[in-house]
Amino acid sequence: MPESVPVRCPACRREHVYAAPSYPCACGAPVSPALDRLTAPTVITHRAWDEEWIVVRCTACGRGNQWPRPELGCPCGTALRIPVAAPGAQRRPVVLRTALDAVTAAALHLHRLGHRDIRRADQRPPSGIGLAARGLVAQVDPSVRPATLRDVECLWLTAMTESADCVYFSLAGYAEDARARADALGIALFVLGPSGPPSPANGAADALDTGVS
């Protein structure tokens, strides 16, 4: 069900119960923004196009889409902007039970790193699941075997053909030669834990995480 929060109009002090709108994702699942219960709504005094939209991520497929920012019209005539949770706080840590959970965890981490247009990659990798964003390709490997040298090199070649950076997410870690090759090529490696955000597995991944900490 869409999330509901109590809202008090700062102009007339009237109490409302606001239900977050739900929108259909391309995968068919309903998505709704996570609301910030700790921040008071703000009065809309002027409108700017960039402020009218937010990215809402589908919890089923991990796809992020732009939807209208939540608003409430009070009967007194005041228009209120309902605060939404910060991108990193819109979901509890993903517990990895399925390959889809691994993709969701990777997509959420890429969103935290600043990528807002995450989607399934057009080109399917030899193993795992491919994700893409502007200037980036990523591979998510939910298998129980460590990622191999070939896996890392295939990702790098795909990124080279698209003039993009690349990031690898593996559930079982990396073979030693794969890790060494990734270090030489500057590929960021992350390990998907059973819960919580992915952990950096090399210097390139550490640098990405440090840049947003």
Side-chain angles (χ1 to χ4, degrees):
M1 292 180 63
E3 183 180 8
S4 297
V5 296
V7 175
R8 182 189 292 272
C9 175
C12 70
R13 312 304 296 172
R14 185 172 300 176
E15 292 278 0
H16 304 277
V17 175
Y18 177 81
S22 180
Y23 304 101
C25 178
C27 74
V31 296
S32 58
L35 303 180
D36 185 351
R37 295 173 175 267
L38 302 179
T39 304
T42 57
V43 176
I44 301 173
T45 56
H46 69 280
R47 294 186 178 277
W49 178 260
D50 291 343
E51 298 176 356
E52 299 294 317
W53 304 91
I54 57 171
V55 174
V56 182
R57 189 156 305 286
C58 177
T59 58
C61 71
R63 183 184 284 108
N65 291 295
Q66 287 193 327
W67 299 106
R69 185 177 292 276
E71 294 182 3
L72 171 67
C74 181
C76 75
T78 303
L80 303 175
R81 180 167 289 133
I82 309 302
V84 297
Q90 289 194 9
R91 287 196 67 194
R92 295 182 177 89
V94 179
V95 178
L96 304 187
R97 298 188 181 93
T98 66
L100 182 58
D101 292 336
V103 173
T104 300
L108 287 173
H109 199 65
L110 290 174
H111 188 273
R112 175 177 172 268
L113 294 176
H115 299 283
R116 300 290 184 263
D117 57 342
I118 304 162
R119 63 190 185 280
R120 291 293 286 267
D122 296 330
Q123 185 173 341
R124 185 174 180 178
S127 62
I129 299 134
L131 296 176
R134 183 175 300 176
L136 179 86
V137 293
Q139 186 164 334
V140 184
D141 189 349
S143 68
V144 294
R145 65 164 181 81
T148 66
L149 173 64
R150 179 176 180 271
D151 294 331
V152 168
E153 289 183 335
C154 285
L155 174 62
W156 179 75
L157 288 172
T158 299
M160 287 290 290
T161 61
E162 299 185 16
S163 300
D165 295 326
C166 54
V167 180
Y168 205 115
F169 296 88
S170 174
L171 182 64
Y174 302 88
E176 286 301 321
D177 56 353
R179 188 186 300 268
R181 187 62 169 157
D183 288 342
L185 296 173
I187 301 172
L189 303 180
F190 289 91
V191 174
L192 295 162
S195 64
S199 302
N202 67 349
D206 275 325
L208 285 181
D209 267 8
T210 302
V212 297
S213 60

